Amino acid sequence: MIGHITYLSEDAMHNKFARKLQGKDKPDFDFNVEFQVESYLEHQGQVFVDRFDANSYLYITKACDYFDIEKKYGSLENAFKHTNSRFLVICFSSDWLFPPAHSKEIVSALMKTGKEVSFLQIESPAGHDAFLLEFETQTKVIKSFLS
């Protein structure tokens, strides 16, 4: 449930749920599900538990924590200088998990090393989930980049 909060932007959460109660007009002031957002998060949390082994998230989180390309190479520029690829960097304006500023740092480093790089920031209020929802835009951009 906690993880799912980072997948949507603050605006998306507010637009979807605001402070709406779940099936009632006034709160009971107890520890049961009172708000629509609680019901949604509880449901999504259960879906994740049913679909994925919790340990997979521990491994992914640790892998992300340990991955430090700048430390390994001294800088992003050094990390990219011996590559022979073209690069496409896509980010989403409201993604908290992979903020656009991080993508822009990568693009800047690639440009400083003279690499061919294309960049697109897709405007979306959907947060990290935008990569699942903005598939039509991504498909067009990736197809164009690959051709």
Side-chain angles (χ1 to χ4, degrees), residues 96-119:
W96 295 3
L97 203 52
F98 298 104
H102 293 182
S103 296
K104 291 174 184 176
E105 286 177 31
I106 291 169
V107 170
S108 177
L110 287 163
M111 291 174 65
K112 285 178 185 174
T113 58
K115 302 302 176 190
E116 187 177 340
V117 58
S118 299
F119 172 75

PDB file of all heavy atoms in Angstrom, residues 96-119:
ATOM      1  N   TRP A  96       7.376  10.539  -9.292  1.00  0.00           N
ATOM      2  CA  TRP A  96       8.162  10.744  -8.069  1.00  0.00           C
ATOM      3  C   TRP A  96       9.248   9.700  -7.943  1.00  0.00           C
ATOM      4  O   TRP A  96      10.282   9.928  -7.319  1.00  0.00           O
ATOM      5  CB  TRP A  96       7.280  10.632  -6.829  1.00  0.00           C
ATOM      6  CG  TRP A  96       6.227  11.650  -6.663  1.00  0.00           C
ATOM      7  CD1 TRP A  96       5.894  12.673  -7.519  1.00  0.00           C
ATOM      8  CD2 TRP A  96       5.328  11.766  -5.558  1.00  0.00           C
ATOM      9  NE1 TRP A  96       4.857  13.392  -7.016  1.00  0.00           N
ATOM     10  CE2 TRP A  96       4.482  12.862  -5.808  1.00  0.00           C
ATOM     11  CE3 TRP A  96       5.158  11.044  -4.386  1.00  0.00           C
ATOM     12  CZ2 TRP A  96       3.489  13.252  -4.927  1.00  0.00           C
ATOM     13  CZ3 TRP A  96       4.165  11.443  -3.514  1.00  0.00           C
ATOM     14  CH2 TRP A  96       3.344  12.540  -3.779  1.00  0.00           C
ATOM     15  N   LEU A  97       9.043   8.524  -8.504  1.00  0.00           N
ATOM     16  CA  LEU A  97       9.998   7.427  -8.371  1.00  0.00           C
ATOM     17  C   LEU A  97      11.243   7.665  -9.231  1.00  0.00           C
ATOM     18  O   LEU A  97      12.365   7.412  -8.800  1.00  0.00           O
ATOM     19  CB  LEU A  97       9.312   6.115  -8.763  1.00  0.00           C
ATOM     20  CG  LEU A  97       9.880   4.818  -8.227  1.00  0.00           C
ATOM     21  CD1 LEU A  97      10.044   4.849  -6.716  1.00  0.00           C
ATOM     22  CD2 LEU A  97       8.975   3.662  -8.625  1.00  0.00           C
ATOM     23  N   PHE A  98      11.035   8.143 -10.456  1.00  0.00           N
ATOM     24  CA  PHE A  98      12.120   8.508 -11.362  1.00  0.00           C
ATOM     25  C   PHE A  98      11.863   9.941 -11.842  1.00  0.00           C
ATOM     26  O   PHE A  98      11.342  10.150 -12.933  1.00  0.00           O
ATOM     27  CB  PHE A  98      12.190   7.541 -12.550  1.00  0.00           C
ATOM     28  CG  PHE A  98      12.475   6.124 -12.153  1.00  0.00           C
ATOM     29  CD1 PHE A  98      11.468   5.177 -12.145  1.00  0.00           C
ATOM     30  CD2 PHE A  98      13.749   5.747 -11.763  1.00  0.00           C
ATOM     31  CE1 PHE A  98      11.726   3.870 -11.768  1.00  0.00           C
ATOM     32  CE2 PHE A  98      14.021   4.441 -11.385  1.00  0.00           C
ATOM     33  CZ  PHE A  98      13.008   3.494 -11.379  1.00  0.00           C
ATOM     34  N   PRO A  99      12.220  10.921 -11.026  1.00  0.00           N
ATOM     35  CA  PRO A  99      11.905  12.318 -11.337  1.00  0.00           C
ATOM     36  C   PRO A  99      12.558  12.799 -12.638  1.00  0.00           C
ATOM     37  O   PRO A  99      13.675  12.369 -12.971  1.00  0.00           O
ATOM     38  CB  PRO A  99      12.467  13.093 -10.143  1.00  0.00           C
ATOM     39  CG  PRO A  99      12.706  12.094  -9.072  1.00  0.00           C
ATOM     40  CD  PRO A  99      12.930  10.775  -9.762  1.00  0.00           C
ATOM     41  N   PRO A 100      11.888  13.673 -13.367  1.00  0.00           N
ATOM     42  CA  PRO A 100      12.442  14.202 -14.613  1.00  0.00           C
ATOM     43  C   PRO A 100      13.841  14.812 -14.450  1.00  0.00           C
ATOM     44  O   PRO A 100      14.657  14.714 -15.362  1.00  0.00           O
ATOM     45  CB  PRO A 100      11.429  15.269 -15.032  1.00  0.00           C
ATOM     46  CG  PRO A 100      10.140  14.797 -14.434  1.00  0.00           C
ATOM     47  CD  PRO A 100      10.525  14.159 -13.128  1.00  0.00           C
ATOM     48  N   ALA A 101      14.127  15.383 -13.306  1.00  0.00           N
ATOM     49  CA  ALA A 101      15.451  15.983 -13.096  1.00  0.00           C
ATOM     50  C   ALA A 101      16.563  14.946 -13.249  1.00  0.00           C
ATOM     51  O   ALA A 101      17.642  15.256 -13.780  1.00  0.00           O
ATOM     52  CB  ALA A 101      15.523  16.640 -11.721  1.00  0.00           C
ATOM     53  N   HIS A 102      16.311  13.713 -12.829  1.00  0.00           N
ATOM     54  CA  HIS A 102      17.314  12.658 -12.979  1.00  0.00           C
ATOM     55  C   HIS A 102      17.528  12.311 -14.454  1.00  0.00           C
ATOM     56  O   HIS A 102      18.668  12.102 -14.889  1.00  0.00           O
ATOM     57  CB  HIS A 102      16.907  11.407 -12.203  1.00  0.00           C
ATOM     58  CG  HIS A 102      16.902  11.608 -10.725  1.00  0.00           C
ATOM     59  ND1 HIS A 102      16.600  10.599  -9.850  1.00  0.00           N
ATOM     60  CD2 HIS A 102      17.155  12.689  -9.951  1.00  0.00           C
ATOM     61  CE1 HIS A 102      16.669  11.053  -8.609  1.00  0.00           C
ATOM     62  NE2 HIS A 102      16.996  12.326  -8.654  1.00  0.00           N
ATOM     63  N   SER A 103      16.443  12.253 -15.205  1.00  0.00           N
ATOM     64  CA  SER A 103      16.558  11.980 -16.640  1.00  0.00           C
ATOM     65  C   SER A 103      17.316  13.098 -17.339  1.00  0.00           C
ATOM     66  O   SER A 103      18.134  12.847 -18.230  1.00  0.00           O
ATOM     67  CB  SER A 103      15.171  11.819 -17.264  1.00  0.00           C
ATOM     68  OG  SER A 103      14.524  10.697 -16.725  1.00  0.00           O
ATOM     69  N   LYS A 104      17.061  14.329 -16.930  1.00  0.00           N
ATOM     70  CA  LYS A 104      17.745  15.478 -17.538  1.00  0.00           C
ATOM     71  C   LYS A 104      19.241  15.463 -17.226  1.00  0.00           C
ATOM     72  O   LYS A 104      20.053  15.882 -18.048  1.00  0.00           O
ATOM     73  CB  LYS A 104      17.088  16.774 -17.086  1.00  0.00           C
ATOM     74  CG  LYS A 104      15.699  16.948 -17.671  1.00  0.00           C
ATOM     75  CD  LYS A 104      14.985  18.160 -17.107  1.00  0.00           C
ATOM     76  CE  LYS A 104      13.558  18.231 -17.646  1.00  0.00           C
ATOM     77  NZ  LYS A 104      12.798  19.341 -17.045  1.00  0.00           N
ATOM     78  N   GLU A 105      19.625  14.968 -16.054  1.00  0.00           N
ATOM     79  CA  GLU A 105      21.052  14.817 -15.729  1.00  0.00           C
ATOM     80  C   GLU A 105      21.712  13.826 -16.679  1.00  0.00           C
ATOM     81  O   GLU A 105      22.834  14.054 -17.137  1.00  0.00           O
ATOM     82  CB  GLU A 105      21.224  14.327 -14.289  1.00  0.00           C
ATOM     83  CG  GLU A 105      20.953  15.356 -13.226  1.00  0.00           C
ATOM     84  CD  GLU A 105      21.071  14.767 -11.822  1.00  0.00           C
ATOM     85  OE1 GLU A 105      21.884  13.831 -11.621  1.00  0.00           O
ATOM     86  OE2 GLU A 105      20.345  15.241 -10.932  1.00  0.00           O
ATOM     87  N   ILE A 106      21.020  12.739 -16.961  1.00  0.00           N
ATOM     88  CA  ILE A 106      21.551  11.733 -17.890  1.00  0.00           C
ATOM     89  C   ILE A 106      21.700  12.335 -19.285  1.00  0.00           C
ATOM     90  O   ILE A 106      22.739  12.175 -19.935  1.00  0.00           O
ATOM     91  CB  ILE A 106      20.635  10.487 -17.914  1.00  0.00           C
ATOM     92  CG1 ILE A 106      20.733   9.753 -16.571  1.00  0.00           C
ATOM     93  CG2 ILE A 106      20.986   9.563 -19.082  1.00  0.00           C
ATOM     94  CD1 ILE A 106      19.682   8.671 -16.382  1.00  0.00           C
ATOM     95  N   VAL A 107      20.687  13.055 -19.731  1.00  0.00           N
ATOM     96  CA  VAL A 107      20.732  13.689 -21.054  1.00  0.00           C
ATOM     97  C   VAL A 107      21.889  14.683 -21.126  1.00  0.00           C
ATOM     98  O   VAL A 107      22.646  14.706 -22.106  1.00  0.00           O
ATOM     99  CB  VAL A 107      19.382  14.372 -21.379  1.00  0.00           C
ATOM    100  CG1 VAL A 107      19.492  15.242 -22.619  1.00  0.00           C
ATOM    101  CG2 VAL A 107      18.283  13.331 -21.548  1.00  0.00           C
ATOM    102  N   SER A 108      22.058  15.465 -20.093  1.00  0.00           N
ATOM    103  CA  SER A 108      23.148  16.444 -20.056  1.00  0.00           C
ATOM    104  C   SER A 108      24.508  15.756 -20.150  1.00  0.00           C
ATOM    105  O   SER A 108      25.388  16.190 -20.906  1.00  0.00           O
ATOM    106  CB  SER A 108      23.045  17.272 -18.771  1.00  0.00           C
ATOM    107  OG  SER A 108      24.116  18.177 -18.679  1.00  0.00           O
ATOM    108  N   ALA A 109      24.687  14.686 -19.391  1.00  0.00           N
ATOM    109  CA  ALA A 109      25.949  13.950 -19.429  1.00  0.00           C
ATOM    110  C   ALA A 109      26.200  13.363 -20.816  1.00  0.00           C
ATOM    111  O   ALA A 109      27.329  13.393 -21.319  1.00  0.00           O
ATOM    112  CB  ALA A 109      25.940  12.846 -18.373  1.00  0.00           C
ATOM    113  N   LEU A 110      25.155  12.828 -21.434  1.00  0.00           N
ATOM    114  CA  LEU A 110      25.294  12.269 -22.779  1.00  0.00           C
ATOM    115  C   LEU A 110      25.675  13.355 -23.782  1.00  0.00           C
ATOM    116  O   LEU A 110      26.543  13.158 -24.640  1.00  0.00           O
ATOM    117  CB  LEU A 110      24.000  11.572 -23.206  1.00  0.00           C
ATOM    118  CG  LEU A 110      23.716  10.240 -22.518  1.00  0.00           C
ATOM    119  CD1 LEU A 110      22.251   9.837 -22.687  1.00  0.00           C
ATOM    120  CD2 LEU A 110      24.645   9.156 -23.052  1.00  0.00           C
ATOM    121  N   MET A 111      25.047  14.511 -23.660  1.00  0.00           N
ATOM    122  CA  MET A 111      25.360  15.618 -24.573  1.00  0.00           C
ATOM    123  C   MET A 111      26.803  16.099 -24.379  1.00  0.00           C
ATOM    124  O   MET A 111      27.502  16.391 -25.348  1.00  0.00           O
ATOM    125  CB  MET A 111      24.364  16.749 -24.373  1.00  0.00           C
ATOM    126  CG  MET A 111      22.955  16.408 -24.855  1.00  0.00           C
ATOM    127  SD  MET A 111      21.726  17.658 -24.468  1.00  0.00           S
ATOM    128  CE  MET A 111      22.302  19.032 -25.431  1.00  0.00           C
ATOM    129  N   LYS A 112      27.255  16.163 -23.131  1.00  0.00           N
ATOM    130  CA  LYS A 112      28.627  16.604 -22.847  1.00  0.00           C
ATOM    131  C   LYS A 112      29.656  15.657 -23.464  1.00  0.00           C
ATOM    132  O   LYS A 112      30.772  16.077 -23.778  1.00  0.00           O
ATOM    133  CB  LYS A 112      28.853  16.713 -21.342  1.00  0.00           C
ATOM    134  CG  LYS A 112      28.198  17.917 -20.719  1.00  0.00           C
ATOM    135  CD  LYS A 112      28.422  17.942 -19.215  1.00  0.00           C
ATOM    136  CE  LYS A 112      27.657  19.100 -18.587  1.00  0.00           C
ATOM    137  NZ  LYS A 112      27.739  19.064 -17.122  1.00  0.00           N
ATOM    138  N   THR A 113      29.299  14.390 -23.619  1.00  0.00           N
ATOM    139  CA  THR A 113      30.229  13.424 -24.209  1.00  0.00           C
ATOM    140  C   THR A 113      30.002  13.272 -25.716  1.00  0.00           C
ATOM    141  O   THR A 113      30.610  12.398 -26.345  1.00  0.00           O
ATOM    142  CB  THR A 113      30.112  12.046 -23.516  1.00  0.00           C
ATOM    143  OG1 THR A 113      28.776  11.576 -23.632  1.00  0.00           O
ATOM    144  CG2 THR A 113      30.511  12.128 -22.064  1.00  0.00           C
ATOM    145  N   GLY A 114      29.127  14.097 -26.261  1.00  0.00           N
ATOM    146  CA  GLY A 114      28.910  14.094 -27.708  1.00  0.00           C
ATOM    147  C   GLY A 114      28.077  12.935 -28.216  1.00  0.00           C
ATOM    148  O   GLY A 114      28.124  12.611 -29.406  1.00  0.00           O
ATOM    149  N   LYS A 115      27.318  12.324 -27.348  1.00  0.00           N
ATOM    150  CA  LYS A 115      26.497  11.183 -27.766  1.00  0.00           C
ATOM    151  C   LYS A 115      25.201  11.668 -28.403  1.00  0.00           C
ATOM    152  O   LYS A 115      24.680  12.736 -28.085  1.00  0.00           O
ATOM    153  CB  LYS A 115      26.168  10.274 -26.572  1.00  0.00           C
ATOM    154  CG  LYS A 115      27.381   9.731 -25.869  1.00  0.00           C
ATOM    155  CD  LYS A 115      28.271   8.942 -26.802  1.00  0.00           C
ATOM    156  CE  LYS A 115      29.534   8.498 -26.093  1.00  0.00           C
ATOM    157  NZ  LYS A 115      30.516   7.932 -26.989  1.00  0.00           N
ATOM    158  N   GLU A 116      24.682  10.831 -29.301  1.00  0.00           N
ATOM    159  CA  GLU A 116      23.396  11.126 -29.932  1.00  0.00           C
ATOM    160  C   GLU A 116      22.293  10.749 -28.952  1.00  0.00           C
ATOM    161  O   GLU A 116      22.141   9.580 -28.593  1.00  0.00           O
ATOM    162  CB  GLU A 116      23.260  10.330 -31.226  1.00  0.00           C
ATOM    163  CG  GLU A 116      22.034  10.697 -32.027  1.00  0.00           C
ATOM    164  CD  GLU A 116      21.954   9.935 -33.346  1.00  0.00           C
ATOM    165  OE1 GLU A 116      22.972   9.427 -33.826  1.00  0.00           O
ATOM    166  OE2 GLU A 116      20.833   9.849 -33.873  1.00  0.00           O
ATOM    167  N   VAL A 117      21.544  11.742 -28.504  1.00  0.00           N
ATOM    168  CA  VAL A 117      20.511  11.497 -27.501  1.00  0.00           C
ATOM    169  C   VAL A 117      19.233  12.231 -27.872  1.00  0.00           C
ATOM    170  O   VAL A 117      19.261  13.379 -28.295  1.00  0.00           O
ATOM    171  CB  VAL A 117      20.983  11.896 -26.078  1.00  0.00           C
ATOM    172  CG1 VAL A 117      21.393  13.358 -25.999  1.00  0.00           C
ATOM    173  CG2 VAL A 117      19.930  11.570 -25.027  1.00  0.00           C
ATOM    174  N   SER A 118      18.123  11.533 -27.742  1.00  0.00           N
ATOM    175  CA  SER A 118      16.798  12.119 -27.902  1.00  0.00           C
ATOM    176  C   SER A 118      16.126  12.087 -26.535  1.00  0.00           C
ATOM    177  O   SER A 118      16.307  11.135 -25.766  1.00  0.00           O
ATOM    178  CB  SER A 118      15.964  11.322 -28.900  1.00  0.00           C
ATOM    179  OG  SER A 118      16.577  11.332 -30.164  1.00  0.00           O
ATOM    180  N   PHE A 119      15.360  13.118 -26.256  1.00  0.00           N
ATOM    181  CA  PHE A 119      14.732  13.242 -24.936  1.00  0.00           C
ATOM    182  C   PHE A 119      13.282  13.670 -25.101  1.00  0.00           C
ATOM    183  O   PHE A 119      12.964  14.519 -25.917  1.00  0.00           O
ATOM    184  CB  PHE A 119      15.479  14.290 -24.101  1.00  0.00           C
ATOM    185  CG  PHE A 119      14.802  14.636 -22.805  1.00  0.00           C
ATOM    186  CD1 PHE A 119      14.836  13.761 -21.732  1.00  0.00           C
ATOM    187  CD2 PHE A 119      14.124  15.837 -22.662  1.00  0.00           C
ATOM    188  CE1 PHE A 119      14.210  14.074 -20.530  1.00  0.00           C
ATOM    189  CE2 PHE A 119      13.498  16.161 -21.467  1.00  0.00           C
ATOM    190  CZ  PHE A 119      13.543  15.275 -20.400  1.00  0.00           C
TER     191      PHE A 119
END
